[in-house]
Amino acid sequence: MKARVFVTLKPGVLDPQGKAIHHALEGLGFDGVNEVRAGKLIELDLADGTGDDAIESMCRKLLANTVIENFRIERLP
Amino acid sequence: MKARVFVTLKPGVLDPQGKAIHHALEGLGFDGVNEVRAGKLIELDLADGTGDDAIESMCRKLLANTVIENFRIERLP
C-alpha cells in the first residue's frame, strides 16, 4: 500500500526557501508569480493494512513539525 | 491562480534522505514500512491566465533537475 504525505509550512511562518525560489523565477524572467511556498512530499510504501492512525502518528512524531507545519495524508489504492 | 508542483526522484536514483526517514521510523517502532522516498512540493501563487506552458518551463529551468527528477503539475481552481 502506498501513501503520500504532504508537509507544508503553516500560513504566517516565514519561508526563506520559497522566497529564494520566487526570486530566482523572477531572475529567469517569469513574471506574474505572486508567491512561492516550499514544502515536502514523502512517499511511503507500507505493509497492507497499515491504518490511518499509524500514518498520522508517523507524521506527528517524525515527518512534520506540527508547531510550524501542517500535514496532509493521501492514501493510494 | 494557484498551482502545485510535485518533484520526485526518478526510480533508481539513490535517496539518502528517504533512507534516513525510513531508518528513523523503524527506530521509533513503526513496523511495516517497506520504502520511503522524499520529494519536494512547491506551491505557486500565479497571476490569472498563466499557461501550463509557463509552469512547465519553470519546472524544467529551475524547480526540477530533469536528469534525476520527475515533476507533476497540479492546477488548483
Side-chain angles (χ1 to χ4, degrees):
Chain A
M1 194 203 79
K2 301 223 175 200
R4 290 200 189 111
V5 174
F6 305 96
V7 180
T8 50
L9 284 171
K10 289 185 177 177
V13 177
L14 282 178
D15 180 8
Q17 188 184 2
K19 284 239 182 310
I21 295 170
H22 188 176
H23 191 73
L25 285 172
E26 287 180 338
L28 287 169
F30 291 106
D31 297 327
V33 180
N34 300 322
E35 200 190 2
V36 180
R37 302 281 286 174
K40 282 175 283 185
L41 161 63
I42 298 157
E43 292 181 322
L44 301 165
D45 185 353
L46 300 165
D48 289 341
T50 306
D52 281 342
D53 290 357
I55 304 175
E56 193 177 323
S57 179
M58 291 176 199
C59 292
R60 293 194 181 281
K61 287 189 182 163
L62 183 76
L63 304 180
N65 175 353
T66 55
V67 177
I68 57 167
E69 291 172 329
N70 291 322
F71 63 86
R72 186 165 63 83
I73 297 164
E74 182 183 290
R75 293 171 77 105
L76 305 181
Chain B
M1 194 204 79
K2 301 223 175 199
R4 291 201 190 110
V5 174
F6 305 96
V7 181
T8 50
L9 284 171
K10 289 186 177 177
V13 177
L14 282 178
D15 179 9
Q17 189 185 2
K19 283 239 184 312
I21 295 170
H22 188 177
H23 190 73
L25 285 172
E26 287 181 337
L28 287 169
F30 290 105
D31 298 326
V33 180
N34 300 323
E35 199 189 4
V36 180
R37 302 280 288 174
K40 281 176 282 184
L41 160 63
I42 299 157
E43 293 180 321
L44 302 165
D45 185 353
L46 300 165
D48 289 342
T50 305
D52 282 342
D53 289 357
I55 305 175
E56 192 176 326
S57 179
M58 291 178 199
C59 291
R60 293 194 181 281
K61 287 188 183 164
L62 183 76
L63 304 180
N65 174 352
T66 55
V67 177
I68 56 167
E69 291 171 331
N70 291 322
F71 63 87
R72 185 164 65 82
I73 297 164
E74 181 184 292
R75 292 172 78 104
L76 306 181

